[in-house]
Amino acid sequence: MDNRIKFSLHLNGWSFETDEKLSLRNTAEKILINEYAPHMKGHIFCPECSANLFRSPKNKDFAANGRKAYFAHSSSIDTDCGLRTKKVDGKKYATEEEARKAIQNKELVIVEGFIKEKPIPPDRSATDYDATPIEELNGPVVNVSIGRHRGDSFKLPSKFKTIRGICNKFDENINRYFYLPNSNNAIQLQDLLLNIEFVTKVDDIPRIYYGRITSSFNAGKTPKNIRMTELRYKHAGVPDFYLKLADEKQTEKGINQNSKNRVVLMYGSVTNNGVGLCIENLGWGEFALLPVIYENLLYPNI
């Protein structure tokens, strides 16, 4: 069973009944399952709804039935939380005001698209840009069908995002709701992420995939040639899975012959690569390496 709560928020003295959720998010310590200690009992909270959590089992890595240790909500507090139960139809909002407040509180992100070309502001040089890269740009106000009642849609501000921006604040983003292009719902990021190890066929619909790199090499002699980055994959009848993109574009994002075991996120379609599969022709903002510190949120140690 997948543990939906990847980490808890630990803060002594904070109360779900009386204190502000933003104060918890801004000051609490993020605690992974294997970082939990007995003195934290009663002081760990859900990163989405802020309700009290507990660890089960308390002091072991596995329960008697073999399930890995996990965080769970206290039964004494009833909340409408996507980490409590997986919401197949995503998050719905009663009013446009409620949805706008969720955006302001960084609980909801409306994505108009992922940046295709590297943007360079007119008053800054490329060197300045590389030092402080842009990870999102304001998009237009868009009509979004996330109303709680059938047919309800709201006009909300959107963003042009990068996968790198999502990766750089991955621990915060994984519990946020994202409304992606051509979507019908706002879905929690962890439910949008697809492990390429479970992909077995071509899929024309762009999605956010992730995989662990096993090797990477330039298939030609110049930076313009394709770099073949192989991802961990094993399926009968499908021998391999690659990220295929120009060497210069991948090396700019830190992907090279020394990238073995790093995790890469990609927004794109799955296509054929001979008898194997691949993701290719991605834009500048459509792929990035996940910082090592966050890898255990996708590949837990226990």
Side-chain angles (χ1 to χ4, degrees):
M1 182 183 295
D2 182 40
N3 294 333
R4 294 187 58 74
I5 306 175
K6 306 301 183 183
F7 59 86
S8 65
L9 298 178
H10 171 239
L11 185 61
N12 286 331
W14 192 86
S15 170
F16 175 78
E17 287 79 13
T18 61
D19 295 329
E20 292 291 329
K21 291 172 64 174
L22 278 178
S23 69
L24 175 68
R25 292 173 183 168
N26 290 337
T27 58
E29 179 185 10
K30 297 180 179 70
I31 300 297
L32 300 174
I33 295 290
N34 58 0
E35 296 173 334
Y36 177 84
H39 73 271
M40 298 177 185
K41 181 180 179 181
H43 306 291
I44 58 172
F45 306 93
C46 175
E48 183 187 342
C49 71
S50 302
N52 291 71
L53 299 178
F54 65 91
R55 186 188 193 271
S56 179
K58 294 179 182 179
N59 303 311
K60 298 180 180 179
D61 289 340
F62 294 88
N65 62 3
R67 181 181 175 180
K68 293 178 182 178
Y70 61 95
F71 289 125
H73 289 78
S74 170
S75 59
S76 62
I77 301 175
D78 185 20
T79 60
D80 179 22
C81 179
L83 296 181
R84 202 161 202 155
T85 55
K86 184 174 180 178
K87 296 183 178 181
V88 178
D89 61 348
K91 183 82 169 181
K92 300 291 186 180
Y93 298 87
T95 64
E96 186 171 302
E97 181 182 1
E98 181 183 323
R100 285 181 177 272
K101 185 175 181 180
I103 292 173
Q104 292 171 359
N105 290 340
K106 299 182 178 180
E107 299 169 357
L108 170 66
V109 182
I110 309 298
V111 180
E112 175 65 10
F114 288 93
I115 301 172
K116 288 285 189 180
E117 302 295 333
K118 181 177 180 177
I120 301 176
D123 59 340
R124 291 165 60 191
S125 68
T127 302
D128 290 337
Y129 175 86
D130 289 335
T132 54
I134 291 175
E135 294 177 343
E136 68 177 25
L137 298 170
N138 289 330
V141 172
V142 294
N143 206 44
V144 182
S145 56
I146 55 174
R148 189 166 295 168
H149 305 289
R150 182 174 295 180
D152 278 0
S153 60
F154 309 132
K155 293 187 181 297
L156 299 170
S158 69
K159 297 285 186 181
F160 289 98
K161 300 284 288 183
T162 65
I163 292 295
R164 179 168 59 182
I166 291 175
C167 287
N168 285 350
K169 297 181 180 179
F170 194 71
D171 58 337
E172 299 175 14
N173 285 320
I174 195 168
N175 296 316
R176 288 178 176 148
Y177 287 85
F178 282 73
Y179 184 93
L180 296 184
N182 303 314
S183 176
N184 293 320
N185 302 295
I187 306 292
Q188 210 161 41
L189 179 62
Q190 67 170 305
D191 295 323
L192 290 171
L193 297 170
L194 299 176
N195 189 337
I196 64 97
E197 294 185 59
F198 300 103
V199 177
T200 59
K201 61 183 179 180
V202 168
D203 188 349
D204 294 333
I205 299 175
R207 307 179 194 276
I208 303 179
Y209 295 93
Y210 69 92
R212 192 177 286 281
I213 296 172
T214 58
S215 67
S216 185
F217 66 94
N218 187 339
K221 297 182 178 180
T222 75
K224 300 292 184 183
N225 291 120
I226 295 296
R227 172 168 286 275
M228 302 289 291
T229 298
E230 186 171 10
L231 305 177
R232 190 171 74 187
Y233 189 78
K234 187 177 181 180
H235 273 287
V238 185
D240 48 43
F241 198 114
Y242 283 90
L243 168 61
K244 294 175 59 178
L245 204 61
D247 172 69
E248 60 185 1
K249 293 182 177 180
Q250 293 202 49
T251 55
E252 180 187 7
K253 300 295 181 68
I255 302 174
N256 53 45
Q257 65 273 16
N258 299 316
S259 297
K260 184 177 180 179
N261 293 325
R262 291 295 302 275
V263 176
V264 60
L265 269 67
M266 307 150 284
Y267 176 75
S269 305
V270 176
T271 60
N272 285 315
N273 177 48
V275 293
L277 296 172
C278 72
I279 294 176
E280 57 185 341
N281 300 323
L282 299 183
W284 176 83
E286 294 181 327
F287 71 104
L289 287 174
L290 182 69
V292 174
I293 192 174
Y294 301 135
E295 289 182 1
N296 50 16
L297 296 178
L298 294 179
Y299 298 94
N301 293 325
I302 63 170

